[in-house]
Protein backbone atom coordinates (compact mmCIF):
# COMPACT_ATOMS: atom_id res chain seq x y z
CA UNK A 1 0.00 0.00 0.00
CA UNK A 2 1.18 3.50 -0.79
CA UNK A 3 2.16 5.63 2.18
CA UNK A 4 0.27 8.88 1.77
CA UNK A 5 2.76 11.63 2.56
CA UNK A 6 0.97 14.46 0.81
CA UNK A 7 -2.17 12.79 -0.50
CA UNK A 8 -5.60 14.13 0.42
CA UNK A 9 -8.39 12.08 1.95
CA UNK A 10 -10.33 11.47 -1.28
CA UNK A 11 -7.31 10.12 -3.15
CA UNK A 12 -6.33 8.02 -0.11
CA UNK A 13 -9.84 6.50 0.03
CA UNK A 14 -9.73 5.68 -3.68
CA UNK A 15 -6.37 3.96 -3.30
CA UNK A 16 -7.57 2.01 -0.27
CA UNK A 17 -10.49 0.78 -2.38
CA UNK A 18 -8.07 -0.20 -5.15
CA UNK A 19 -8.95 2.67 -7.51
CA UNK A 20 -5.66 4.11 -8.75
CA UNK A 21 -5.46 7.70 -9.92
CA UNK A 22 -4.54 7.88 -13.61
CA UNK A 23 -1.72 10.40 -13.56
CA UNK A 24 -1.29 10.14 -17.32
CA UNK A 25 -4.63 11.96 -17.71
CA UNK A 26 -3.25 14.83 -15.61
CA UNK A 27 -0.53 15.64 -18.16
CA UNK A 28 -0.93 18.08 -21.05
CA UNK A 29 0.59 17.48 -24.48
CA UNK A 30 1.81 20.58 -26.30
CA UNK A 31 2.60 19.86 -29.93
CA UNK A 32 5.50 21.54 -31.71
CA UNK A 33 7.10 22.91 -28.54
CA UNK A 34 9.88 23.95 -28.18
CA UNK A 35 10.27 23.19 -31.89
CA UNK A 36 8.27 21.61 -34.66
CA UNK A 37 7.72 17.87 -34.42
CA UNK A 38 8.11 17.65 -30.63
CA UNK A 39 5.24 16.50 -28.39
CA UNK A 40 6.13 18.32 -25.15
CA UNK A 41 4.81 16.65 -21.99
CA UNK A 42 3.70 19.48 -19.70
CA UNK A 43 3.66 18.52 -16.01
CA UNK A 44 2.24 21.86 -14.81
CA UNK A 45 -1.30 20.51 -15.18
CA UNK A 46 -0.42 17.65 -12.82
CA UNK A 47 1.22 20.09 -10.39
CA UNK A 48 -1.93 22.24 -10.42
CA UNK A 49 -3.88 19.32 -8.95
CA UNK A 50 -2.72 18.87 -5.34
CA UNK A 51 -4.13 15.35 -5.10
CA UNK A 52 -2.36 14.26 -8.28
CA UNK A 53 0.92 15.90 -7.27
CA UNK A 54 0.80 14.24 -3.86
CA UNK A 55 -0.07 10.93 -5.47
CA UNK A 56 2.90 11.25 -7.83
CA UNK A 57 5.25 11.84 -4.88
CA UNK A 58 3.74 8.85 -3.06
CA UNK A 59 4.30 6.61 -6.09
CA UNK A 60 7.88 7.83 -6.44
CA UNK A 61 8.46 7.11 -2.74
CA UNK A 62 7.06 3.62 -3.14
CA UNK A 63 9.20 2.96 -6.22
CA UNK A 64 12.34 4.25 -4.47
CA UNK A 65 12.00 1.51 -1.86
CA UNK A 66 12.97 -0.97 -4.57
CA UNK A 67 16.49 0.47 -4.70
CA UNK A 68 17.38 -0.83 -1.25
CA UNK A 69 18.88 1.53 1.26
CA UNK A 70 20.06 4.87 -0.07
CA UNK A 71 21.37 8.00 1.57
CA UNK A 72 20.55 10.95 -0.67
CA UNK A 73 18.25 12.14 -3.46
CA UNK A 74 19.92 13.93 -6.40
CA UNK A 75 17.93 15.75 -9.08
CA UNK A 76 18.80 17.88 -12.11
CA UNK A 77 17.53 21.39 -12.68
CA UNK A 78 14.83 22.32 -13.16
CA UNK A 79 11.92 19.90 -13.45
CA UNK A 80 13.83 17.25 -11.54
CA UNK A 81 13.70 19.60 -8.53
CA UNK A 82 9.88 19.58 -8.67
CA UNK A 83 9.82 15.86 -7.89
CA UNK A 84 13.19 15.20 -6.27
CA UNK A 85 12.99 17.82 -3.49
CA UNK A 86 9.54 16.82 -2.17
CA UNK A 87 10.52 13.15 -2.41
CA UNK A 88 13.66 13.81 -0.35
CA UNK A 89 11.62 15.75 2.22
CA UNK A 90 8.98 13.01 2.43
CA UNK A 91 11.66 10.36 2.97
CA UNK A 92 13.71 12.59 5.31
CA UNK A 93 16.73 12.28 3.01
CA UNK A 94 19.19 15.00 2.02
CA UNK A 95 18.58 16.64 -1.36
CA UNK A 96 21.45 17.44 -3.76
CA UNK A 97 20.72 19.72 -6.73
CA UNK A 98 22.51 19.22 -10.04
CA UNK A 99 22.45 22.73 -11.55
CA UNK A 100 23.01 24.33 -14.91
CA UNK A 101 26.47 25.86 -15.34
CA UNK A 102 27.19 29.03 -13.39
CA UNK A 103 24.36 28.63 -10.84
CA UNK A 104 26.30 27.19 -7.89
CA UNK A 105 28.29 29.59 -5.69
CA UNK A 106 31.08 27.33 -4.44
CA UNK A 107 33.67 24.94 -5.87
CA UNK A 108 31.95 22.57 -8.26
CA UNK A 109 32.37 19.61 -10.59
CA UNK A 110 30.85 19.47 -14.06
CA UNK A 111 29.76 16.87 -16.64
CA UNK A 112 28.73 17.51 -20.23
CA UNK A 113 26.13 15.63 -22.24
CA UNK A 114 25.06 15.72 -25.86
CA UNK A 115 21.93 17.27 -27.30
CA UNK A 116 20.52 17.06 -30.82
CA UNK A 117 21.97 20.49 -31.54
CA UNK A 118 25.09 20.67 -29.34
CA UNK A 119 26.06 20.03 -25.74
CA UNK A 120 24.95 21.10 -22.30
CA UNK A 121 26.30 20.48 -18.81
CA UNK A 122 25.28 19.95 -15.19
CA UNK A 123 27.24 20.86 -12.07
CA UNK A 124 27.26 19.88 -8.41
CA UNK A 125 29.16 21.26 -5.46
CA UNK A 126 32.42 19.38 -4.96
CA UNK A 127 31.35 18.45 -1.41
CA UNK A 128 27.75 17.46 -2.27
CA UNK A 129 28.36 13.76 -1.59
CA UNK A 130 30.61 11.76 0.66
CA UNK A 131 32.49 8.74 -0.68
CA UNK A 132 30.29 5.66 -0.59
CA UNK A 133 26.97 7.49 -0.25
CA UNK A 134 24.19 5.79 -2.19
CA UNK A 135 22.17 8.18 -4.33
CA UNK A 136 18.84 7.92 -6.12
CA UNK A 137 18.68 10.25 -9.11
CA UNK A 138 15.19 11.66 -9.72
CA UNK A 139 13.92 13.49 -12.79
CA UNK A 140 10.52 14.25 -14.23
CA UNK A 141 11.09 12.53 -17.57
CA UNK A 142 13.36 9.95 -19.17
CA UNK A 143 13.77 10.70 -22.87
CA UNK A 144 17.24 10.00 -24.28
CA UNK A 145 19.00 9.63 -20.91
CA UNK A 146 21.64 12.29 -21.53
CA UNK A 147 20.93 14.52 -18.54
CA UNK A 148 20.71 11.76 -15.93
CA UNK A 149 23.71 10.02 -17.45
CA UNK A 150 25.71 13.19 -16.78
CA UNK A 151 24.30 13.44 -13.25
CA UNK A 152 25.35 9.81 -12.62
CA UNK A 153 28.84 10.71 -13.83
CA UNK A 154 28.96 13.51 -11.24
CA UNK A 155 27.72 11.26 -8.42
CA UNK A 156 30.32 8.61 -9.21
CA UNK A 157 33.05 11.18 -9.78
CA UNK A 158 32.52 12.37 -6.21
CA UNK A 159 32.83 8.79 -4.91
CA UNK A 160 29.09 8.17 -4.59
CA UNK A 161 27.16 5.13 -5.78
CA UNK A 162 24.09 5.38 -8.01
CA UNK A 163 21.54 3.15 -6.26
CA UNK A 164 18.95 3.83 -8.95
CA UNK A 165 17.28 6.30 -11.27
CA UNK A 166 13.66 7.27 -10.84
CA UNK A 167 11.35 9.09 -13.27
CA UNK A 168 7.75 10.20 -13.18
CA UNK A 169 7.47 9.74 -16.97
CA UNK A 170 9.39 7.55 -19.41
CA UNK A 171 9.14 8.01 -23.18
CA UNK A 172 9.86 4.37 -24.02
CA UNK A 173 10.03 5.01 -27.79
CA UNK A 174 13.17 7.14 -27.31
CA UNK A 175 14.92 4.20 -25.59
CA UNK A 176 16.68 6.26 -22.93
CA UNK A 177 17.19 3.07 -20.93
CA UNK A 178 19.69 1.93 -23.55
CA UNK A 179 21.99 4.83 -22.63
CA UNK A 180 21.61 3.86 -18.95
CA UNK A 181 22.35 0.14 -19.35
CA UNK A 182 23.61 -1.50 -16.21
CA UNK A 183 21.68 0.96 -14.03
CA UNK A 184 18.52 0.31 -12.07
CA UNK A 185 15.78 2.44 -13.69
CA UNK A 186 12.16 2.83 -12.55
CA UNK A 187 9.39 4.98 -14.00
CA UNK A 188 5.81 5.63 -12.90
CA UNK A 189 4.18 6.56 -16.22
CA UNK A 190 5.32 4.94 -19.46
CA UNK A 191 4.42 6.48 -22.79
CA UNK A 192 4.91 4.24 -25.80
CA UNK A 193 4.50 6.83 -28.52
Amino acid sequence: MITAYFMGRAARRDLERGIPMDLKKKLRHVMDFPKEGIDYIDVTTLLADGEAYGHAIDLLAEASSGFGGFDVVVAPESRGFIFGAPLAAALRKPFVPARKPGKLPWRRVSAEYGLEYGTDAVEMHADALKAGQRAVIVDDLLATGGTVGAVAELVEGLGGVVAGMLFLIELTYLDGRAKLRGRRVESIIRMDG
Side-chain angles (χ1 to χ4, degrees):
M1 174 127 183
I2 295 169
T3 305
Y5 295 107
F6 299 109
M7 189 179 301
R9 283 184 285 227
R12 245 192 321 272
R13 264 194 314 273
D14 284 349
L15 283 173
E16 288 166 0
R17 289 184 292 187
I19 306 168
M21 180 183 291
D22 187 354
L23 293 179
K24 195 182 272 190
K25 291 181 179 176
K26 301 293 182 178
L27 302 170
R28 175 173 36 210
H29 293 258
V30 181
M31 293 306 301
D32 300 322
F33 181 83
K35 63 182 188 175
E36 193 171 329
I38 296 197
D39 175 10
Y40 184 85
I41 310 297
D42 182 10
V43 298
T44 62
T45 48
L46 182 145
L47 301 175
D49 180 331
E51 297 289 336
Y53 188 22
H55 185 55
I57 299 302
D58 287 338
L59 291 174
L60 290 166
E62 183 177 272
S64 74
S65 68
F67 297 131
F70 62 94
D71 306 301
V72 63
V73 174
V74 178
E77 188 171 352
S78 65
R79 294 193 314 175
F81 291 5
I82 295 169
F83 297 99
L87 176 64
L91 298 175
R92 302 298 190 258
K93 301 281 185 187
F95 176 73
V96 174
R99 305 279 325 255
K100 295 178 188 217
K103 301 289 185 181
L104 292 172
W106 196 70
R107 201 175 78 231
R108 56 202 171 274
V109 293
S110 181
E112 284 191 354
Y113 59 97
L115 302 167
E116 294 174 38
Y117 46 85
T119 61
D120 206 346
V122 288
E123 297 180 336
M124 288 172 38
H125 278 141
D127 63 352
L129 293 168
K130 295 176 181 72
Q133 277 190 308
R134 293 176 49 80
V136 169
I137 299 171
V138 177
D139 205 354
D140 70 317
L141 182 124
L142 173 58
T144 63
T147 305
V148 294
V151 173
E153 185 181 321
L154 291 176
V155 167
E156 292 168 344
L158 292 174
V161 175
V162 177
M165 296 178 167
L166 183 56
F167 304 91
L168 178 67
I169 305 162
E170 178 179 357
L171 304 180
T172 58
Y173 55 92
L174 293 178
D175 201 22
R177 282 181 188 251
K179 187 171 216 160
L180 307 174
R181 289 225 193 284
R183 304 217 183 260
R184 179 82 189 273
V185 176
E186 295 291 339
S187 58
I188 306 303
I189 301 168
R190 291 185 174 193
M191 295 188 169
D192 299 323

